[in-house]
Amino acid sequence: MASKTPVGFIGLGNMGNPMAKNLVKHGYPVIAYDVFPEACKEFQDLGAQVTESPADVAEKADRIITMLPSSPNVIEVYTGANGILKKVKKGSLLIDSSTIDPAVSKELAKAVEKMGAVFMDAPVSGGVGAARAANLTFMVGGVEQEFDAAKELLTCMGSNIVYCGEVGTGQAAKICNNMLLAISMIGTAETMNLGIRLGLDPKVLAKILNISSGRCWSSDTYNPVPGVMEGVPSANNYQGGFGTTLMAKDLGLAQISATNTKTPVPLGSQAHQIYRMMCAKGYALKDFSAVFQFLREEETF
Amino acid sequence: MASKTPVGFIGLGNMGNPMAKNLVKHGYPVIAYDVFPEACKEFQDLGAQVTESPADVAEKADRIITMLPSSPNVIEVYTGANGILKKVKKGSLLIDSSTIDPAVSKELAKAVEKMGAVFMDAPVSGGVGAARAANLTFMVGGVEQEFDAAKELLTCMGSNIVYCGEVGTGQAAKICNNMLLAISMIGTAETMNLGIRLGLDPKVLAKILNISSGRCWSSDTYNPVPGVMEGVPSANNYQGGFGTTLMAKDLGLAQISATNTKTPVPLGSQAHQIYRMMCAKGYALKDFSAVFQFLREEETF
Amino acid sequence: MASKTPVGFIGLGNMGNPMAKNLVKHGYPVIAYDVFPEACKEFQDLGAQVTESPADVAEKADRIITMLPSSPNVIEVYTGANGILKKVKKGSLLIDSSTIDPAVSKELAKAVEKMGAVFMDAPVSGGVGAARAANLTFMVGGVEQEFDAAKELLTCMGSNIVYCGEVGTGQAAKICNNMLLAISMIGTAETMNLGIRLGLDPKVLAKILNISSGRCWSSDTYNPVPGVMEGVPSANNYQGGFGTTLMAKDLGLAQISATNTKTPVPLGSQAHQIYRMMCAKGYALKDFSAVFQFLREEETF
Amino acid sequence: MASKTPVGFIGLGNMGNPMAKNLVKHGYPVIAYDVFPEACKEFQDLGAQVTESPADVAEKADRIITMLPSSPNVIEVYTGANGILKKVKKGSLLIDSSTIDPAVSKELAKAVEKMGAVFMDAPVSGGVGAARAANLTFMVGGVEQEFDAAKELLTCMGSNIVYCGEVGTGQAAKICNNMLLAISMIGTAETMNLGIRLGLDPKVLAKILNISSGRCWSSDTYNPVPGVMEGVPSANNYQGGFGTTLMAKDLGLAQISATNTKTPVPLGSQAHQIYRMMCAKGYALKDFSAVFQFLREEETF
């Protein structure tokens, strides 16, 4: 195990923390950095080397994973005054697992390439639980010859590593999936609500949809109506799961990509607006299936 | 076989024709009526008794199936000057397989009940092919005790007979399913289009969606992008399948039901508008998955 | 004054009450009916004759105005067991000022015509204040030759009597106007909100819009942003004005008319959904300009 | 006149050409640059000095106006290898009349300020005709003390110079106005279409809207229905006016601003999608009021 070469990890938040721990578990010496020093303490105790800046990480490791909240953070970590690019070594492999605008991934890839290194985007699906269980799905974009090298690391943290195509397509796949997910979740919520209003038992309606052409993951695996399924957020007052504010963020990325490529996304765009309105009405931290609750009429006056 | 009691069948169009034939095949003496006399000729040759009016059918058969294009036709066939209700016998079983507003089904049920007969709504899913192959799904609403009697006839024409609840819930289930189907089809179309614009191979994207939370019937069974799947309308220039104008009609029913019950259906409503715009732009007779083609940019100028 | 022939008035609610009083003021002997007897008491004191049913009104007056909440009420008052049509006299003029589906107006007109009488639809714009001040606008549909006869009565209650065309076009004009009003109100609300977020002073933005192509009644006469104008509901916590639930009702009528005529109304349809969601979220009784408040972000968590 | 100090002008396209000519007419020595040399020839003949790059312009003039198609062009002209910032003089006044993302304007303003110069955003409303007639409206954002200096130049090209607030608010005002314009235009188109379907004469309906609360610039000044008004694009097969593709571009800017500021814009977002779909269906170069034609049903099959 001691013979493994170090891996840099930048961004030790809710998701980055368990991901980096899984690298440690697999015997990789981890070179850690987070903008909040307290996020690193735990890793010091685990034997990781904690550094002062992304540039320091780049000096000490030639494989680096970044897991950050949004585009500006990623840009800062790469191109800032003490950013990775200040000290990145030739031949380094830089993997960004943040969910950001694919256009930003492409720009970073160009800057990294100029330094003689390789950039891949590898956003994840699956939440904190999947991160802990090393059960994430990684959608990977970048040069195909480097995919195996990336996969070696990503398999420590995920169970499903999918090659999507050139740089940026990992992000594209992620935001496409989440846009369709948002659409079908809202669709399921309004359909179930309408059916209930028309006299259908929600369990009966879910059963019919799930053997018919209306079937989707939101209806058969993550039904938003309380009482229809066990073990999903709708069974637990929409606690846990995937927060409405995070879904709104991903829909914002989809919208920006669609606008920039002049792609009509009439329902994706409306889904974005609905999740934004929900954030404005107190649903930001509830699971995104709470759209059922948002749409459900309570016209009591 | 000769001992079977006759069954009335009103409405021998694209769907009614093969459905009634399947009853004949199962040995039921069919009492036929259609507003277009030529639609009946074929049945005369098959030994069916052709009548002059719905009332005549009701006089000669105490089980009647209706399969008509829309609410006004059903209302006319039941309550018109020569309608079923003029001569319906006490204890008759009247099954309406048309897709109509569930509020109309409920009103007809009341009128039928006053005559001492029983009304059930039993709209179908599956197209002409499924009708020929006796492979339709029937969604049945009405008094539960009568479900077995209805099922006896419906199993001659379909492979899946689902009891949905009180009168009107068959229609409700049908329009709910189709509303969610329309939403997820448009969602799939715009998502696939966006992914392609962002550099993803459509087959790769479809594969990723289908193992992820964006998965739906429209992505995994009826993908709207040419080249992704075989044997679906998108592989055949959107010929065949389920016409855009029919989807627009069902979405209109969903919209009316939602309006009357004050149920918000933001995406269902938008899906309705998109299929209406498609009808206005020459897509009326194409399969409803042609929304991919409708959204695909051709900004050539 | 005593020589004026009596006028029937059915429906003495919030709107009907001041309207009927204005007829009394102009010296018309009023024959009154309301389904709630207490609504009639006040009119008894004013010298009006209170009757037991719409049929009684029709027996005693050959000009009748109806002002009722929705289509089913109007149908009942006309065609019910004790409805107007039971005793309507030949040559009577029946004016319906309710806001209902224009298709219902057309059907009633046919039934009235069969009895040798005349039906006109004459919905109003303007609220309770305008009703009191005899300042309503009436949009009138029906045979043009009868317009003057209708106008004689309507001018007692309104200041603007507009002839729109054949029966049903009064309703059509009303719901068309309100649909466009809802769209431009929501548009104004989201535009003002976006401008404020981008650093514009709301008064400056309103001023710019009002001299530019974005100008509309909602921006220049009824601005939804608190502090921009005086004397509008937004200046008074959205009290008074035109309630969200009433706007949702009118948008429902627009939607049903659009669905039945296969007319695409993408924004009208979305406006309907937004007002429905607002009703579901506690805004039912606030003025419809409260959509600004509904959209305004309060992402405090 | 000869004593006037020179003014730089970068971007001599459809709009920039007549704007720069108006500066020449007012006696300003113009220092011209365009990425297409042929666009400059005409100005050479008019006595303007044609330069090789934006940097050259900055060397020779301390007041510069830029009029470019989109954000990337503006960024290149300012920050590119031969951009304005390479040689901008302290105290220079740089006015950008392009329509771009206000966030980009703010970033440029910061970069310009670092060089000791002043940046103002001043996008225009009004098309090529207004540019020729020096009849544009300028919406100006930037330090208030500099507004008079900017106004001196802008009044040569426009008749209405509005101060909006800090840097970026000129852009904000422009895209807010155009978003509301797009919404009310589509709203007017669908309302007029619905009214016609319901039997109203379009001229009568327009008249009613224009005296009622549905009134807006699109209904009373630029009605999209052929035959309702003279002298507007709808009277001329939607030639001229403001192109659908330009409206789609501005709605894209509005959408990006809304996404970045987490502002819900449900109708603005839908309007964007509709104009995108129109671009995909051959309407890119027609006036944006052609949405009436786009929505109008032609269900001929």
Side-chain angles (χ1 to χ4, degrees):
Chain A
M1 302 259 280
S3 65
K4 286 190 177 165
T5 60
V7 174
F9 205 106
I10 299 172
L12 300 161
N14 288 339
M15 290 293 289
N17 176 299
M19 289 167 69
K21 280 184 189 158
N22 279 322
L23 283 174
V24 173
K25 269 189 211 158
H26 279 75
Y28 287 99
V30 165
I31 314 293
Y33 175 74
D34 193 280
V35 69
F36 299 110
E38 56 272 39
C40 299
K41 277 188 189 155
E42 201 182 349
F43 285 88
Q44 212 144 14
D45 302 344
L46 290 170
Q49 188 177 347
V50 175
T51 65
E52 296 293 310
S53 72
D56 286 355
V57 176
E59 205 173 11
K60 291 175 176 146
D62 60 6
R63 292 180 293 177
I64 305 176
I65 293 163
T66 46
M67 189 63 183
L68 300 155
S70 67
S71 299
N73 307 111
V74 179
I75 291 170
E76 175 67 20
V77 158
Y78 271 82
T79 69
N82 294 303
I84 290 174
L85 293 186
K86 290 291 182 218
K87 299 209 175 158
V88 66
K89 290 182 257 183
K90 281 203 178 178
S92 288
L93 174 61
L94 310 180
I95 301 174
D96 180 37
S97 284
S98 321
T99 296
I100 62 171
D101 183 349
V104 171
S105 302
K106 283 182 185 179
E107 296 229 341
L108 289 175
K110 277 185 210 160
V112 168
E113 199 183 354
K114 277 186 192 160
M115 312 293 288
V118 171
F119 177 90
M120 302 190 97
D121 54 308
V124 304
S125 82
V128 171
R132 282 193 197 119
N135 203 14
L136 294 165
T137 293
F138 285 88
M139 286 158 275
V140 185
V143 183
E144 195 161 10
Q145 299 92 293
E146 303 289 340
F147 179 57
D148 283 345
K151 202 171 174 178
E152 184 199 322
L153 296 179
L154 301 178
T155 42
C156 305
M157 302 177 283
S159 55
N160 201 2
I161 321 294
V162 186
Y163 181 68
C164 298
E166 61 184 22
V167 160
T169 55
Q171 300 294 353
K174 167 83 186 276
I175 66 181
C176 281
N177 181 70
N178 281 12
M179 186 175 87
L180 184 49
L181 169 60
I183 293 168
S184 48
M185 176 53 80
I186 298 173
T188 300
E190 62 191 60
T191 298
M192 293 293 299
N193 194 23
L194 177 59
I196 293 167
R197 291 300 184 81
L198 294 174
L200 282 158
D201 177 90
K203 283 191 176 183
V204 170
L205 176 54
K207 201 177 137 191
I208 293 170
L209 295 175
N210 292 340
I211 59 166
S212 307
S213 48
R215 162 179 64 76
C216 59
W217 185 87
S218 297
S219 71
D220 68 18
T221 303
Y222 206 87
N223 201 288
V225 181
V228 168
M229 293 180 70
E230 303 277 317
V232 290
S234 63
N236 188 27
N237 198 24
Y238 304 105
Q239 304 294 312
F242 184 55
T244 289
T245 192
L246 294 173
M247 181 53 99
K249 179 208 157 194
D250 287 1
L251 289 167
L253 291 173
Q255 183 63 66
I256 284 172
S257 292
T259 300
N260 288 338
T261 57
K262 299 187 175 181
T263 311
V265 288
L267 299 192
S269 156
Q270 212 56 34
H272 179 208
Q273 299 307 316
I274 291 167
Y275 279 113
R276 280 254 67 83
M277 288 189 268
M278 285 177 65
C279 287
K281 290 294 138 207
Y283 288 80
L285 297 183
K286 291 197 175 188
D287 180 68
F288 78 113
S289 64
V291 64
F292 175 75
Q293 200 180 57
F294 180 71
L295 294 175
R296 192 116 183 93
E297 293 257 337
E298 297 146 13
E299 273 195 54
T300 47
F301 57 86
Chain B
M1 301 257 281
S3 65
K4 287 191 175 164
T5 61
V7 175
F9 205 106
I10 298 172
L12 300 160
N14 288 339
M15 291 294 289
N17 176 301
M19 288 167 70
K21 278 183 189 160
N22 278 322
L23 283 174
V24 172
K25 268 188 213 160
H26 279 75
Y28 286 100
V30 164
I31 315 292
Y33 174 75
D34 192 282
V35 70
F36 299 110
E38 56 272 40
C40 299
K41 275 186 193 158
E42 201 182 348
F43 285 88
Q44 210 143 18
D45 301 344
L46 289 171
Q49 188 178 346
V50 175
T51 65
E52 296 294 309
S53 73
D56 286 355
V57 177
E59 205 172 12
K60 289 171 179 151
D62 60 6
R63 291 180 293 176
I64 304 176
I65 292 164
T66 45
M67 188 64 182
L68 299 154
S70 66
S71 300
N73 308 111
V74 178
I75 292 170
E76 175 67 21
V77 157
Y78 271 82
T79 68
N82 293 304
I84 290 173
L85 294 186
K86 291 290 182 219
K87 299 208 177 158
V88 66
K89 290 182 257 183
K90 283 206 176 174
S92 288
L93 174 61
L94 310 180
I95 301 174
D96 180 37
S97 285
S98 322
T99 296
I100 62 170
D101 182 350
V104 172
S105 303
K106 284 182 185 177
E107 296 230 341
L108 289 176
K110 277 185 210 160
V112 168
E113 198 183 357
K114 277 187 192 161
M115 312 292 289
V118 171
F119 177 89
M120 302 190 97
D121 54 311
V124 304
S125 82
V128 172
R132 282 193 197 119
N135 203 13
L136 295 165
T137 294
F138 285 88
M139 286 158 275
V140 186
V143 183
E144 194 160 11
Q145 300 91 295
E146 303 289 339
F147 179 58
D148 282 346
K151 201 171 176 180
E152 183 198 322
L153 295 179
L154 300 178
T155 44
C156 304
M157 302 177 283
S159 55
N160 200 3
I161 321 295
V162 186
Y163 181 68
C164 299
E166 61 185 22
V167 160
T169 55
Q171 299 295 352
K174 168 83 186 277
I175 65 180
C176 280
N177 181 70
N178 281 12
M179 186 174 87
L180 184 49
L181 169 60
I183 292 168
S184 47
M185 175 55 79
I186 298 173
T188 300
E190 62 191 60
T191 298
M192 293 295 298
N193 194 22
L194 177 60
I196 293 166
R197 291 301 184 82
L198 294 175
L200 282 159
D201 177 89
K203 283 190 175 182
V204 170
L205 176 54
K207 202 176 136 190
I208 293 170
L209 295 175
N210 293 340
I211 58 166
S212 307
S213 48
R215 164 178 63 76
C216 60
W217 184 88
S218 296
S219 71
D220 69 16
T221 303
Y222 207 84
N223 200 289
V225 181
V228 168
M229 292 180 72
E230 303 277 317
V232 289
S234 64
N236 188 27
N237 198 24
Y238 304 106
Q239 303 294 310
F242 184 53
T244 288
T245 191
L246 294 172
M247 180 52 100
K249 178 209 155 193
D250 286 2
L251 289 167
L253 291 173
Q255 182 64 65
I256 285 172
S257 291
T259 300
N260 289 338
T261 56
K262 300 189 176 180
T263 311
V265 286
L267 299 192
S269 157
Q270 211 56 33
H272 180 209
Q273 299 306 316
I274 290 168
Y275 279 113
R276 281 256 65 85
M277 288 190 268
M278 286 177 65
C279 286
K281 291 294 138 208
Y283 288 81
L285 297 184
K286 291 197 176 190
D287 180 66
F288 79 113
S289 65
V291 65
F292 175 75
Q293 200 180 59
F294 179 71
L295 293 176
R296 192 117 182 92
E297 292 257 337
E298 297 146 12
E299 272 194 55
T300 48
F301 57 86
Chain C
M1 301 260 279
S3 65
K4 286 191 176 164
T5 60
V7 175
F9 206 105
I10 298 172
L12 300 160
N14 287 339
M15 291 294 288
N17 176 301
M19 289 167 70
K21 279 183 188 160
N22 278 323
L23 283 174
V24 172
K25 270 188 210 159
H26 278 75
Y28 287 99
V30 165
I31 315 292
Y33 174 75
D34 192 281
V35 69
F36 299 110
E38 57 271 38
C40 299
K41 275 185 191 158
E42 201 182 348
F43 285 87
Q44 213 142 15
D45 301 344
L46 290 170
Q49 188 178 348
V50 175
T51 65
E52 296 293 310
S53 72
D56 285 355
V57 176
E59 204 171 14
K60 290 174 178 148
D62 59 9
R63 292 179 294 177
I64 305 176
I65 293 164
T66 45
M67 188 63 182
L68 300 154
S70 66
S71 299
N73 308 110
V74 179
I75 293 170
E76 175 67 20
V77 157
Y78 271 82
T79 68
N82 293 304
I84 290 173
L85 294 186
K86 291 291 183 218
K87 299 208 175 158
V88 66
K89 289 182 256 184
K90 283 202 177 177
S92 289
L93 174 61
L94 310 180
I95 301 173
D96 180 37
S97 284
S98 322
T99 296
I100 62 170
D101 183 349
V104 172
S105 302
K106 284 182 184 178
E107 297 229 340
L108 289 175
K110 277 185 210 160
V112 167
E113 199 184 354
K114 277 187 193 160
M115 311 294 288
V118 171
F119 177 91
M120 302 190 96
D121 54 309
V124 304
S125 81
V128 172
R132 280 192 198 120
N135 205 14
L136 294 166
T137 293
F138 285 88
M139 286 159 275
V140 185
V143 183
E144 194 160 9
Q145 299 91 293
E146 304 289 341
F147 179 58
D148 283 345
K151 202 171 173 178
E152 184 198 322
L153 296 180
L154 300 179
T155 42
C156 304
M157 302 178 283
S159 55
N160 201 3
I161 321 295
V162 186
Y163 180 68
C164 299
E166 61 185 22
V167 160
T169 56
Q171 300 294 351
K174 167 84 186 276
I175 64 180
C176 281
N177 181 71
N178 281 11
M179 186 175 86
L180 184 49
L181 169 59
I183 291 169
S184 47
M185 176 53 80
I186 298 172
T188 300
E190 61 191 59
T191 298
M192 293 294 298
N193 194 22
L194 177 59
I196 293 166
R197 291 301 185 81
L198 294 174
L200 283 159
D201 177 89
K203 283 191 175 182
V204 171
L205 176 54
K207 202 176 137 191
I208 293 171
L209 295 175
N210 292 340
I211 59 165
S212 308
S213 48
R215 164 179 62 77
C216 59
W217 184 89
S218 296
S219 71
D220 68 17
T221 303
Y222 206 86
N223 200 289
V225 180
V228 168
M229 294 179 71
E230 302 278 316
V232 290
S234 63
N236 189 27
N237 198 22
Y238 304 105
Q239 304 294 311
F242 184 53
T244 289
T245 191
L246 294 173
M247 181 53 100
K249 179 209 156 194
D250 287 1
L251 289 166
L253 290 173
Q255 183 64 65
I256 284 171
S257 291
T259 300
N260 289 337
T261 57
K262 299 187 176 181
T263 311
V265 287
L267 298 192
S269 154
Q270 211 56 33
H272 179 208
Q273 299 307 316
I274 290 167
Y275 279 113
R276 280 255 68 84
M277 288 190 268
M278 284 176 66
C279 287
K281 291 293 139 206
Y283 288 80
L285 296 183
K286 291 197 175 188
D287 179 66
F288 78 113
S289 65
V291 63
F292 175 76
Q293 200 180 59
F294 179 70
L295 293 176
R296 192 116 182 94
E297 293 258 337
E298 297 146 13
E299 273 194 53
T300 47
F301 56 86
Chain D
M1 301 257 281
S3 65
K4 286 190 175 166
T5 60
V7 175
F9 205 106
I10 298 172
L12 300 160
N14 287 340
M15 291 294 288
N17 177 299
M19 289 167 69
K21 279 183 190 161
N22 279 323
L23 283 174
V24 173
K25 269 188 212 158
H26 278 76
Y28 286 100
V30 165
I31 315 293
Y33 174 74
D34 193 282
V35 69
F36 299 110
E38 57 271 40
C40 298
K41 275 186 192 159
E42 201 182 348
F43 285 88
Q44 211 143 17
D45 301 345
L46 290 171
Q49 188 178 345
V50 175
T51 64
E52 297 292 310
S53 72
D56 286 355
V57 176
E59 205 171 13
K60 289 171 179 152
D62 59 5
R63 291 179 295 176
I64 305 176
I65 293 164
T66 45
M67 189 63 183
L68 299 155
S70 66
S71 299
N73 308 110
V74 179
I75 292 169
E76 176 66 20
V77 157
Y78 271 82
T79 67
N82 294 303
I84 291 174
L85 293 187
K86 290 291 182 220
K87 300 207 176 161
V88 67
K89 289 183 258 183
K90 282 203 176 175
S92 288
L93 174 61
L94 310 180
I95 302 174
D96 180 38
S97 284
S98 322
T99 296
I100 62 170
D101 182 349
V104 172
S105 302
K106 284 182 186 178
E107 296 229 340
L108 289 175
K110 277 185 211 160
V112 168
E113 199 184 356
K114 277 186 193 161
M115 313 292 289
V118 171
F119 177 91
M120 302 190 96
D121 55 310
V124 305
S125 83
V128 172
R132 281 193 198 119
N135 205 13
L136 294 166
T137 293
F138 286 88
M139 286 158 275
V140 185
V143 182
E144 194 160 11
Q145 300 93 293
E146 304 289 339
F147 178 58
D148 284 345
K151 202 172 174 178
E152 184 199 322
L153 296 179
L154 300 178
T155 44
C156 305
M157 302 177 284
S159 55
N160 201 2
I161 322 295
V162 186
Y163 180 69
C164 298
E166 61 184 22
V167 160
T169 55
Q171 299 295 352
K174 168 82 186 278
I175 64 180
C176 280
N177 182 70
N178 281 12
M179 186 174 88
L180 184 49
L181 170 59
I183 292 168
S184 48
M185 176 54 80
I186 299 172
T188 301
E190 62 190 60
T191 298
M192 292 295 298
N193 194 23
L194 177 60
I196 294 166
R197 293 300 185 80
L198 294 175
L200 282 159
D201 177 89
K203 283 191 176 183
V204 171
L205 176 54
K207 202 176 136 191
I208 293 170
L209 295 175
N210 293 340
I211 58 166
S212 306
S213 48
R215 165 178 63 76
C216 58
W217 184 88
S218 297
S219 71
D220 68 17
T221 303
Y222 206 86
N223 200 289
V225 180
V228 168
M229 294 179 72
E230 302 278 315
V232 290
S234 64
N236 188 26
N237 198 24
Y238 304 106
Q239 304 293 311
F242 185 53
T244 289
T245 191
L246 294 173
M247 181 52 101
K249 178 208 155 193
D250 287 1
L251 290 166
L253 290 173
Q255 183 63 65
I256 284 172
S257 292
T259 300
N260 289 336
T261 56
K262 299 189 176 181
T263 312
V265 288
L267 299 193
S269 155
Q270 211 56 32
H272 179 209
Q273 300 306 315
I274 290 168
Y275 280 113
R276 281 254 67 84
M277 288 189 268
M278 286 177 65
C279 286
K281 291 293 138 210
Y283 288 81
L285 297 183
K286 291 197 175 188
D287 179 67
F288 79 113
S289 65
V291 64
F292 176 74
Q293 200 180 58
F294 179 71
L295 293 176
R296 193 118 181 91
E297 292 257 337
E298 297 145 14
E299 272 194 55
T300 48
F301 57 86

